[in-house]
Amino acid sequence: MSAHASTVDPKKAELWDTHHHSHDVISTRTLGYFLYLLSDGMLFATLFAAYGVLSYQHSYFGGPTPAEFVKPWYTFAQTIALFLSVLAYGFGMNALKHKNKSGLINGMLAAFVLGVVFLVLDIHDMSHLYSMGITIASSGGMSAFMVLTQVHATHIFFGLIWILVMIAQVMTKGFTEETVGRLLTLRMFWHLQAVIWVFVYIFVYLWGYIS
Amino acid sequence: MLVDLPGGWSPLLGRLAWSQIPYANPILAPLFVAVVIGAIILLGLITYYGKWTYLWKEWLTTVDHKKLGVMYIIIGLVMLFRGFIDGLMIRTQQVWAVGPHSTGVFGSLHGYLTPFHFGQVYSAHGLIMILLAATPLLVGFMNIIVPIQVGARDMAYPYLNALGLWITAAAAALIMISLFVGDFAHNGWFEYAPIFELQYSPGVGVDYWIWTLQLVALGTTLGGINILATVIKMRAPGMTWGKLPIFVWASLSANVIALTSFPALQVALALVAADRYLGAHFFTAGMGGNLMLYTNLFWIWGHPEVYFVILPAFGMMSEIFPTFSEKPLFGYITMVLASMAIAGVSWLVWLHHFFTMGAGPYVNTAFSVATMLVGIPTGVKVFNWAFTMYRGRLTFNAAMLWAIGALFLLLIGGMTGMMLAIPAINYMVHNSVFVVAHFHSMLLVIVYAIFGSVLYWFPKVFGFKLDEFWAKTMFWLFSAGTALVFVPMYMLGFMGMTRRLEYVFNTSWQSYLDVMELGIVVYTLSVLAFFILLYVSIRDHAKNRVGADAWGTSRSLEWMTHSPVPFYNFAVLPHVNERDELAWRRQHGIDQVRPAHYDDIHMPNNTGVAIIMGGLTFVLGFALTWRIWWLCIVSLLAIILLMIIRSFKGDPGYIITGAELQRMEEEAYRREAQIADSHHSHPVSGGVVGNAMAYQRNDSSK
């Protein structure tokens, strides 16, 4: 019935796996983590959609709009900090290729410090807004602004914890299949957050500034 | 920044207080007593028979995908029963509370449920049936069958698999505890803006709803990643994409939907939570909020979700029909394309849930056409199944009856779906019970496919068949119930009866409601038949034992290993040569060829971390619901710490030596030969249901 029914000779066919093909742990894990990052991307896509719907003039209900308080140069400093952090992580991963443990840890530490700079700038920005009386409860538009930017900041926060954990694991365990796999997945995570930040910067800060 | 709460709040207990326990409720209080007595008896029995160690070692800490799948299915069946009781309560209230002269008891003006209580019942019914009955049942089957069908020893991430199960269990526990502590949401399973806002729904019902759904969404996303990675990475040698069993394709398409759509739900719920907890204005009526943003976000997930649950059901039907028609599946490639097409189109139709939003003729037309497009791949599937049966050697056993029943229901549900896709008709019957009857027809397709699969795959998992007589009795009772409940419901919908009425104002609808009540009584009999089915089958299990190929006409890889499936699935992984590998081997007389020798294999260790994580997510959900902030922080920190500790420890797994494998395999072959003999002499004794699926691992091998 099926079109290719007799392409294999049953008398000579190989019936059992005799070659011990083993599954590559690192590639299986990175694939799974890539799939998770797709869902993370969908999460941000939905938040951007909500922000788009709630960034009309009437969404701010006569209250403050991003055009009144956004400072693109301030958030540009955040951009530079985050991008340098990704770059430092990249240098660290380059050291991994040469099995250079201290090079990797230095790169990770630099990535961590720069990530902290990003987060401190964000917290300072938020407390500044709070002191001006601008909160998540100000209007629908401000709710969307706050949640989108702070969900991204939360991702950065957990990324920083993860970087510390990985530094500790590399120091105690060295380069095992597990730690190397996690360094790769953390790298994907860190890159994605930087990419998302590009969208946040353009659509929330730059667009908010000019609109 | 936190909102002002109506009612009391204390730092220690949050909003929790004695007054939140409904001990004066004439329905809930006796139920609570019954549940407590039942739990004490159950725990007592486990202690009496000394089964705690067994339970902990073999089930609660397991990472075996088959056992996890069985536990998913048990959760699904328990919640299906709970949802059914809710349905029984809804039907009984509606048949009782008709017209101004109907009586009322328990503080209700008409019927026996107050409007607030009735609202909780139908909200819980909807949420439970879709997300805590259908979803865990389907995820359970995917968990059990997909790895075996692709010829793997386990899922790609066994620990993540256990984590997904225990998070789902936490969600089920959270919605069950809302019965006895506080209230559940009373605004419908998908809620509406702005009635779910704190000022209109000040209780904890909506909060229970938020965190239950968040947990289900998390668990399902994790499970989806696992199945996708398993199919992509763990296929046996020789199994190219064109040789993938059709159920695996169905699972793949379904989980593509799950992975991409559940984040939208999580965001929608998080924004509702931001409104209720932080005073945000996403969905408020004033302050710049947007009511329809919620409805859109919810259904952007909601419509893909219904295809997420129906695609695996289609996959199950595609496995049952060929086996009992003794023919290969007709149109394999079109079946695969149709699954993928349905998964794709699922993203383009969400607005048909609210044509009445008033988006205008162009938007409504676009979504109407997109919705009708779904009919094309679905029609392809229906014809493929029909042609699979055409001129086949049909066996009308119970599994086949359920599959054929699903096919008929799909026709009814699909045709009424096409009607609803036309905005002009949709405006007339919007929010009527016609819509309710339509989506119940569709969801019953899933239930039929699930019961068919329970019968079809039960012998694979437990090693013996279910009783045919009681399975068929259950099928006919269930089908009679379906007809009696939903045919009048379609008619009432056309007469203008709206959904969710706790009081039916039109007395001329009484006779239809009477028929529906009769239907739900027949349904109750079918539930009874199901319990008898389980009892009779377990009692007679020694008589009904089966070998590897339980049906003799099965086609795919799972029927090549022993029944019950050993914990390592395949002692030696098969090399796949054809699409229907087993059918091909049987046809050429090489299905009995055994591997020449056994090599060492590597298996993952059990872990208690997953169930502890599940417990912590339950505590977190409960603490968030009741706003017990210290407990939220403690449980969240515990979850993070546990993740870090687990990542430091890792799992080296363990090795089963080739010699031990050979011993276990020979034991299994010996038992199979015994079963073959017993079919013309005496039943095989030994083995209990609980020990199924594993020739207990020899402890010395650790």
Side-chain angles (χ1 to χ4, degrees):
Chain A
M1 196 50 91
S2 67
H4 59 287
S6 54
T7 49
V8 184
D9 180 5
K11 292 193 182 65
K12 293 180 193 155
E14 196 179 341
L15 295 182
W16 304 101
D17 172 31
T18 47
H19 303 299
H20 306 288
H21 82 295
S22 60
H23 302 288
D24 176 1
V25 174
I26 289 184
S27 82
T28 306
R29 287 201 179 167
T30 44
L31 171 78
Y33 200 77
F34 171 74
L35 293 172
Y36 160 73
L37 287 182
L38 286 185
S39 84
D40 206 38
M42 287 304 297
L43 190 133
F44 277 109
T46 315
L47 282 174
F48 274 107
Y51 181 78
V53 171
L54 292 178
S55 56
Y56 289 91
Q57 192 58 43
H58 59 77
S59 306
Y60 299 101
F61 209 63
T65 66
E68 293 166 26
F69 59 78
V70 160
K71 293 164 290 182
W73 283 109
Y74 185 90
T75 33
F76 186 67
Q78 278 184 286
T79 311
I80 295 302
L82 193 56
F83 277 27
L84 285 177
S85 174
V86 170
L87 185 67
Y89 199 109
F91 281 135
M93 292 303 276
N94 208 31
L96 171 69
K97 282 183 191 160
H98 303 106
K99 301 220 166 37
N100 177 357
K101 204 163 140 182
S102 57
L104 177 92
I105 289 171
N106 286 338
M108 300 271 287
L109 275 175
F112 177 78
V113 170
L114 287 160
V116 169
V117 169
F118 173 91
L119 207 56
V120 167
L121 287 172
D122 176 75
I123 292 167
H124 177 258
D125 194 21
M126 285 300 122
S127 55
H128 177 61
L129 290 184
Y130 188 75
S131 69
M132 295 198 302
I134 301 171
T135 67
I136 193 172
S138 297
S139 63
M142 285 320 299
S143 303
F145 175 90
M146 293 286 178
V147 167
L148 177 52
T149 55
Q150 295 321 296
V151 165
H152 179 265
T154 311
H155 276 81
I156 297 294
F157 174 72
F158 283 106
L160 289 174
I161 295 179
W162 195 0
I163 289 179
L164 286 183
V165 170
M166 285 321 298
I167 291 175
Q169 286 194 357
V170 170
M171 281 166 72
T172 54
K173 295 177 157 191
F175 296 140
T176 65
E177 206 171 37
E178 290 205 324
T179 53
V180 172
R182 284 184 195 133
L183 286 171
L184 287 167
T185 52
L186 175 55
R187 181 192 188 172
M188 291 198 286
F189 178 81
W190 207 234
H191 271 221
L192 180 76
Q193 300 318 317
V195 172
I196 301 285
W197 174 258
V198 174
F199 289 98
V200 174
Y201 186 63
I202 292 172
F203 286 106
V204 179
Y205 289 102
L206 288 187
W207 193 28
Y209 181 68
I210 58 170
S211 63
Chain B
M1 205 141 76
L2 295 174
V3 290
D4 293 327
L5 282 171
W9 183 85
S10 72
L12 185 63
L13 289 174
R15 304 182 79 187
L16 204 54
W18 280 114
S19 57
Q20 297 288 349
I21 313 288
Y23 43 76
N25 185 305
I27 298 168
L28 290 175
L31 181 65
F32 180 70
V33 174
V35 167
V36 169
I37 292 172
I40 290 171
I41 291 174
L42 186 68
L43 298 182
L45 283 178
I46 295 172
T47 314
Y48 180 76
Y49 288 107
K51 288 286 182 190
W52 281 112
T53 325
Y54 162 75
L55 206 59
W56 178 257
K57 271 188 159 172
E58 293 295 326
W59 291 91
L60 302 183
T61 59
T62 187
V63 292
D64 181 334
H65 69 98
K66 300 171 289 296
K67 288 183 178 173
L68 293 171
V70 168
M71 285 190 279
Y72 262 118
I73 291 171
I74 290 170
I75 292 174
L77 286 176
V78 169
M79 297 312 282
L80 188 70
F81 183 69
R82 154 92 204 264
F84 168 74
I85 298 294
D86 287 335
L88 179 67
M89 290 174 77
I90 296 169
R91 291 268 54 79
T92 308
Q93 168 72 14
Q94 284 195 340
V95 76
W96 188 339
V98 183
H101 303 297
S102 55
T103 54
V105 293
F106 300 159
S108 174
L109 206 56
H110 300 280
Y112 70 107
L113 293 172
T114 58
F116 181 64
H117 194 174
F118 185 74
Q120 292 181 52
V121 172
Y122 67 67
S123 306
H125 172 77
L127 181 67
I128 285 173
M129 284 306 205
I130 293 176
L131 283 156
L132 287 161
T135 303
L137 283 166
L138 295 168
V139 171
F141 274 108
M142 291 193 271
N143 243 305
I144 296 172
I145 301 303
V146 167
I148 319 181
Q149 276 197 340
V150 300
R153 292 216 169 85
D154 209 319
M155 295 280 247
Y157 321 109
Y159 162 71
L160 193 69
N161 199 13
L163 193 61
L165 169 81
W166 292 113
I167 291 174
T168 307
L174 199 58
I175 197 171
M176 290 306 252
I177 207 165
S178 78
L179 273 176
F180 306 122
V181 186
D183 311 304
F184 192 66
H186 63 285
N187 315 318
W189 78 274
F190 51 85
E191 291 285 345
Y192 293 95
I195 197 175
F196 57 50
E197 296 289 350
L198 196 65
Q199 69 209 88
Y200 308 114
S201 297
V204 292
V206 178
D207 302 328
Y208 266 124
W209 171 84
I210 292 173
W211 304 117
T212 303
L213 265 177
Q214 280 286 25
L215 289 183
V216 178
L218 182 62
T220 313
T221 312
L222 296 180
I225 291 171
N226 214 338
I227 287 175
L228 288 177
T230 305
V231 176
I232 295 171
K233 283 285 181 188
M234 308 286 279
R235 298 194 310 277
M239 183 173 276
T240 53
W241 289 101
K243 291 175 189 149
L244 218 53
I246 201 73
F247 180 71
V248 176
W249 272 116
S251 307
L252 190 76
S253 56
N255 282 296
V256 168
I257 297 177
L259 182 70
T260 47
S261 70
F262 270 94
L265 173 70
Q266 290 184 303
V267 168
L269 294 166
L271 302 188
V272 178
D275 275 12
R276 286 181 61 90
Y277 285 75
L278 305 172
H281 291 286
F282 283 101
F283 311 125
T284 51
M287 298 295 284
N290 188 325
L291 309 181
M292 290 316 287
L293 174 62
Y294 170 75
T295 312
N296 276 280
L297 285 183
F298 187 90
W299 287 113
I300 282 177
W301 160 77
H303 203 84
E305 154 71 15
V306 299
Y307 293 161
F308 165 66
V309 286
I310 202 134
L311 280 170
F314 287 168
M316 294 164 164
M317 292 160 73
S318 307
E319 293 287 340
I320 295 173
F321 283 130
T323 300
F324 300 116
S325 304
E326 302 188 30
K327 275 173 65 187
L329 183 71
F330 185 92
Y332 171 89
I333 291 179
T334 52
M335 208 63 136
V336 171
L337 292 177
S339 297
M340 289 299 163
I342 291 174
V345 177
S346 75
W347 278 94
L348 307 173
V349 298
W350 79 88
L351 192 127
H352 72 216
H353 291 266
F354 44 95
F355 277 136
T356 51
M357 176 170 80
Y362 295 111
V363 173
N364 279 2
T365 305
F367 280 90
S368 167
V369 171
T371 307
M372 290 181 197
L373 283 179
V374 179
I376 298 173
T378 315
V380 166
K381 282 176 177 268
V382 170
F383 281 111
N384 278 346
W385 291 321
F387 283 129
T388 303
M389 288 187 280
Y390 177 64
R391 303 191 75 173
R393 209 175 292 129
L394 300 183
T395 311
F396 289 101
N397 58 14
M400 186 68 162
L401 289 184
W402 283 106
I404 292 172
L407 194 52
F408 275 96
L409 272 171
L410 178 61
L411 288 178
I412 298 168
M415 290 300 168
T416 51
M418 285 297 114
M419 291 169 69
L420 289 168
I422 301 167
I425 296 180
N426 198 298
Y427 266 69
M428 305 293 283
V429 293
H430 181 75
N431 261 2
S432 75
V433 293
F434 185 82
V435 178
V436 178
H438 156 70
F439 68 69
H440 277 83
S441 298
M442 292 312 288
L443 286 163
L444 281 167
V445 173
I446 300 164
V447 176
Y448 272 64
I450 286 170
F451 280 122
S453 302
V454 167
L455 292 157
Y456 179 61
W457 276 309
F458 191 92
K460 181 80 289 183
V461 177
F462 291 100
F464 59 94
K465 284 186 186 176
L466 288 170
D467 187 83
E468 275 291 312
F469 172 78
W470 283 104
K472 284 184 176 170
T473 308
M474 181 198 173
F475 168 79
W476 288 112
L477 285 171
F478 197 93
S479 299
T482 304
L484 287 170
V485 171
F486 293 105
V487 172
M489 196 182 279
Y490 276 120
M491 296 161 86
L492 281 175
F494 274 140
M495 294 177 198
M497 180 170 162
T498 48
R499 66 198 293 195
R500 296 170 174 170
L501 295 180
E502 97 284 348
Y503 166 70
V504 181
F505 56 86
N506 191 337
T507 47
S508 68
W509 293 340
Q510 178 79 61
S511 50
Y512 296 88
L513 294 165
D514 290 343
V515 175
M516 287 155 82
E517 183 70 11
L518 178 67
I520 203 87
V521 171
V522 177
Y523 263 134
T524 312
L525 293 178
S526 81
V527 175
L528 211 60
F530 181 63
F531 287 127
I532 299 174
L533 166 69
L534 288 182
Y535 169 74
V536 169
S537 307
I538 293 170
R539 189 193 62 193
D540 298 343
H541 72 274
K543 267 192 285 187
N544 299 322
R545 287 202 174 281
V546 292
D549 181 5
W551 304 104
T553 56
S554 355
R555 315 190 67 83
S556 42
L557 284 190
E558 78 269 31
W559 304 102
M560 280 172 51
T561 186
H562 313 291
S563 314
V565 184
F567 63 92
Y568 46 80
N569 290 0
F570 298 96
V572 178
L573 294 182
H575 186 99
V576 179
N577 299 289
E578 282 297 329
R579 185 176 290 157
D580 290 333
E581 179 71 11
L582 176 59
W584 175 78
R585 289 193 187 188
R586 194 190 298 117
Q587 191 186 342
H588 293 95
I590 48 174
D591 53 327
Q592 301 298 331
V593 178
R594 296 179 192 179
H597 74 288
Y598 300 95
D599 293 315
D600 296 356
I601 58 173
H602 180 253
M603 294 297 292
N605 276 317
N606 284 0
T607 172
V609 176
I611 188 171
I612 297 171
M613 288 285 243
L616 287 169
T617 53
F618 170 78
V619 173
L620 180 62
F622 187 79
L624 282 165
T625 301
W626 291 95
R627 304 180 195 228
I628 312 169
W629 305 125
W630 66 268
L631 192 57
C632 293
I633 295 165
V634 167
S635 51
L636 193 62
L637 280 179
I639 289 170
I640 295 168
L641 272 178
L642 202 56
M643 277 170 76
I644 294 175
I645 292 169
R646 154 103 193 153
S647 107
F648 269 93
K649 272 181 68 184
D651 177 25
Y654 64 93
I655 300 286
I656 309 171
T657 60
E660 199 201 342
L661 211 52
Q662 187 161 11
R663 182 189 63 74
M664 289 189 286
E665 283 291 292
E666 272 161 14
E667 161 78 11
Y669 283 123
R670 193 189 55 74
R671 278 167 44 146
E672 254 159 42
Q674 210 183 344
I675 290 160
D677 288 346
S678 76
H679 283 306
H680 27 91
S681 58
H682 58 281
V684 183
S685 60
V688 285
V689 184
N691 280 337
M693 290 189 299
Y695 312 109
Q696 300 288 313
R697 179 151 60 85
N698 192 343
D699 275 339
S700 63
S701 71
K702 270 183 193 166

